[in-house]
Amino acid sequence: MDAVVSTPARSNAPAVDRRSPSPELVALLRRRFAERFSTSQAVLLQHGTDESAYLPQPPDAVVFVHSTDEAAFVVRACARERVPVIGFGVGSSVEGHLLAVEGGVCIDFSQMNKVLAIRPGDLTATVEAGVTRGQLNAALLETGFFFSVDPGADASIGGMVATAASGTNTVRYGTMRDNLVSLTVVTANGDVARTASQARKSSAGYNLTQLYCGSEGTLGLITEATVRLHPHPEAYAAAVVHFPTVRAAVDCVIESIQMGVPLARAEMLDALTIRAVNAHSRTTLSENPTLFLEFGASKAQIDEQADIVREIAGNHGGGAFQWANRPEERSRLWTPRHHAYFACLQLKAGSRSLTTDACVPLSALAQCIDETQADIAAHGLLSPLFGHVGDGNFHCLVLVDPGSAAENEAAEAFSHRLVQRALRHGGTSTGEHGVGLHKMKYLVEEHGEPTVALMRAVKQALDPHNIFNPGKVVGPAGA
Ligand SMILES: Cc1cc2nc3c(=O)[nH]c(=O)nc-3n(C[C@H](O)[C@H](O)[C@H](O)COP(=O)(O)OP(=O)(O)OC[C@H]3O[C@@H](n4cnc5c(N)ncnc54)[C@H](O)[C@@H]3O)c2cc1C
């Protein structure tokens, strides 16, 4: 992932009492982990910072673990003093997930990066939590299989499970939730639990795998994951096509899906985003709403699918398809999409993005985007818009001067209106980024009090002393 200069722009929640480790606990962890235990200011700051606009809130110490047993050792030691424990993958989350709001010990999983097993016969692989999706796919290169979940960043599998991540391939292969078989987790008393067998399906008891998926480190630590693999299709083809309006581009994707075309990827970029990627990637794409599409199937099936989508696109005023078939051509075609976030930041020198994450049912998507664009225009915001439209999910990057209170307030107000709009359309406050700190205030509105009460009961049962990533998702235990 490109480096991002994080300039904080958002006010943090009011300070709560820190639950810092005692000198005895610090000495124990230093003795056990030696140079893999750190209290250096630079390391603490890095682990108390994510890609959100919040001010950093560093932990008191960081431990780089090498095994499930080591993670369990840290949890047991911290649990004795009720000191918070925060899991850390690569730090690419965007909603304040990682901030140590009550201090505590951060467990960095980046050195637990072994691919433990690849089972082509079962279409699964088992990895340690710190393996990134890039590392897993590199290990799969010669196998004919791939791991499909692709958030923009080269995130860790543990972090992707914890945030229930998704991305450009989701329209075809599903989210992290759909690609999980089993997890190994460390519980609040330091026990090691396996959430499921390796079977493709099971009716044996509660679905703990899905409970931990999306729990954002608040219920336990994920130390290993068994994930699903997919065979590469015989052929791929990528296409770029421009449209007169965002609505036309969105309608093209929705109709294609409704016609049963199994699009492998369907990403929409608005005209402002295209202007940004042209400047950033030195491309000469027409500055109109644009679809980036990918097909994956046999050559004959791709031709058939492309014919259907071309006809639908034509009905919506879409232009000529610009095709790429060879891997290097496809990669050249998709590069601007992959760099869209960083390209957009450069639309406004020194800016910071407040990134939204609305997701609505497909039938409401075009209307929701229309209303959102009208809102952007009415409030004079600089906000490129792009997204995984095949999932009903889109992001606005509201670009603000981090030092301008007025711009930050306007961006927060826009984000609030967008969440309300998504909820009105039957959608969610967060399609893929997660709750973190920023979306906590919408949980009751989205789910209702009885549902959030159930979530709090789960938190209370699994983490009675609120040591795992406190202050996130459902807030303090019993709150
Ligand atoms: C440019 C950019 C584009 C992005 N695009 C997308 C996108 O398209 N789709 C998407 O879903 N996300 C996207 N994201 C957000 C981010 O990449 C995901 O949230 C990612 O899944 C986080 O993984 P990570 O390894 O960085 O986790 P971290 O940020 O390190 O941690 C995230 C959360 O998971 C917890 N956690 C981490 N590891 C563990 C563990 N082993 N056990 C328990 N808890 C743990 C942390 O405590 C924290 O609460 C994007 C981010 C950026 C910067």
Side-chain angles (χ1 to χ4, degrees):
M1 191 175 79
D2 308 37
V4 184
V5 181
S6 292
T7 317
R10 184 180 285 157
S11 305
N12 292 32
V16 285
D17 288 344
R18 285 179 81 87
R19 292 187 273 159
S20 298
S22 67
E24 293 74 27
L25 177 53
V26 168
L28 173 75
L29 294 176
R30 197 186 293 285
R31 225 172 21 252
R32 174 73 174 75
F33 292 96
E35 74 287 352
R36 289 190 285 121
F37 175 84
S38 180
T39 53
S40 104
Q41 287 308 308
V43 172
L44 297 183
L45 184 62
Q46 182 212 341
H47 288 80
T49 309
D50 61 9
E51 291 298 337
S52 72
Y54 284 109
L55 296 166
Q57 287 188 272
D60 294 289
V62 178
V63 181
F64 295 83
V65 292
H66 281 178
S67 68
T68 298
D69 284 348
E70 287 192 352
F73 177 92
V74 179
V75 169
R76 277 194 299 273
C78 289
R80 280 195 291 272
E81 294 190 1
R82 314 237 160 124
V83 166
V85 177
I86 303 162
F88 186 99
V90 307
S92 70
S93 46
V94 288
E95 299 288 9
H97 295 72
L98 287 166
L99 306 195
V101 294
E102 298 186 32
V105 175
C106 178
I107 300 193
D108 183 314
F109 285 96
S110 60
Q111 296 179 20
M112 272 186 78
N113 59 0
K114 287 197 273 304
V115 175
L116 298 170
I118 295 173
R119 304 179 201 84
D122 294 332
L123 282 77
T124 63
T126 300
V127 298
E128 291 184 330
V131 169
T132 68
R133 69 174 178 89
Q135 288 167 345
L136 176 54
N137 275 321
L140 292 168
L141 259 187
E142 304 296 321
T143 66
F145 294 89
F146 72 106
F147 171 67
S148 63
V149 188
D150 171 21
D154 191 18
S156 70
I157 303 291
M160 290 166 63
V161 174
T163 56
S166 56
T168 56
N169 288 320
T170 297
V171 64
R172 171 78 170 271
Y173 297 102
T175 71
M176 196 66 232
R177 288 195 189 279
D178 305 307
N179 284 280
L180 266 184
V181 177
S182 169
L183 298 171
T184 301
V185 296
V186 176
T187 70
N189 57 9
D191 286 347
V192 176
R194 193 197 62 175
T195 59
S197 73
Q198 299 288 316
R200 276 183 82 75
K201 64 181 198 178
S202 168
S203 299
Y206 299 138
N207 192 336
L208 298 180
T209 312
Q210 293 297 330
L211 182 60
Y212 280 96
C213 185
S215 65
E216 303 185 9
T218 62
L219 300 180
L221 295 175
I222 297 147
T223 57
E224 291 177 13
T226 297
V227 297
R228 291 191 197 286
L229 306 178
H230 300 275
H232 279 292
E234 179 189 316
Y236 287 101
V240 168
V241 54
H242 304 291
F243 288 82
T245 62
V246 165
R247 181 178 265 268
V250 170
D251 281 341
C252 173
V253 172
I254 293 170
E255 274 178 40
S256 300
I257 292 171
Q258 287 165 343
M259 292 284 288
V261 179
L263 293 167
R265 300 192 208 193
E267 298 286 304
M268 193 279 297
L269 282 60
D270 77 352
L272 183 56
T273 309
I274 297 291
R275 191 198 309 163
V277 299
N278 275 343
H280 179 267
S281 302
R282 297 186 202 289
T283 46
T284 53
L285 294 163
S286 162
E287 292 183 4
N288 284 303
T290 301
L291 286 183
F292 284 67
L293 301 170
E294 190 164 275
F295 302 87
S298 71
K299 289 198 177 67
Q301 287 167 329
I302 287 178
D303 288 345
E304 199 181 317
Q305 294 167 14
D307 283 346
I308 299 171
V309 178
R310 205 184 285 111
E311 189 179 335
I312 295 171
N315 293 341
H316 290 284
F321 277 48
Q322 199 184 319
W323 284 101
N325 298 316
R326 291 209 306 276
E328 59 282 9
E329 289 171 351
R330 280 194 291 119
S331 147
R332 189 155 31 81
L333 209 67
W334 273 90
T335 299
R337 166 61 188 97
H338 287 308
H339 291 170
Y341 175 80
F342 303 102
C344 289
L345 287 180
Q346 291 176 13
L347 282 170
K348 179 174 163 120
S351 69
R352 173 85 225 184
S353 160
L354 191 151
T355 306
T356 66
D357 184 28
C359 187
V360 295
L362 277 189
S363 58
L365 180 63
Q367 181 65 24
C368 186
I369 291 183
D370 271 356
E371 291 169 17
T372 302
Q373 288 200 302
D375 188 345
I376 291 168
H379 289 85
L381 301 171
L382 181 61
S383 177
L385 183 157
F386 56 88
H388 318 302
V389 286
D391 311 331
N393 189 195
F394 65 96
H395 305 300
C396 298
L397 270 54
V398 192
L399 302 179
V400 294
D401 170 354
S404 163
E407 286 188 18
N408 283 296
E409 270 169 36
E412 290 286 359
F414 168 78
S415 165
H416 179 72
R417 289 192 300 276
L418 179 48
V419 170
Q420 303 297 318
R421 188 174 305 127
L423 296 182
R424 252 193 331 270
H425 283 291
T428 174
S429 59
T430 170
E432 58 185 17
H433 291 163
V435 176
L437 288 172
H438 190 220
K439 298 283 167 59
M440 280 171 55
K441 56 183 176 284
Y442 301 115
L443 265 200
V444 170
E445 197 175 345
E446 180 166 338
H447 295 298
E449 185 58 49
T451 306
V452 176
L454 283 176
M455 293 185 188
R456 289 191 187 119
V458 170
K459 168 73 174 169
Q460 176 69 36
L462 268 59
D463 184 20
H465 301 301
N466 191 24
I467 62 167
F468 284 128
N469 204 6
K472 316 289 167 54
V473 189
V474 292

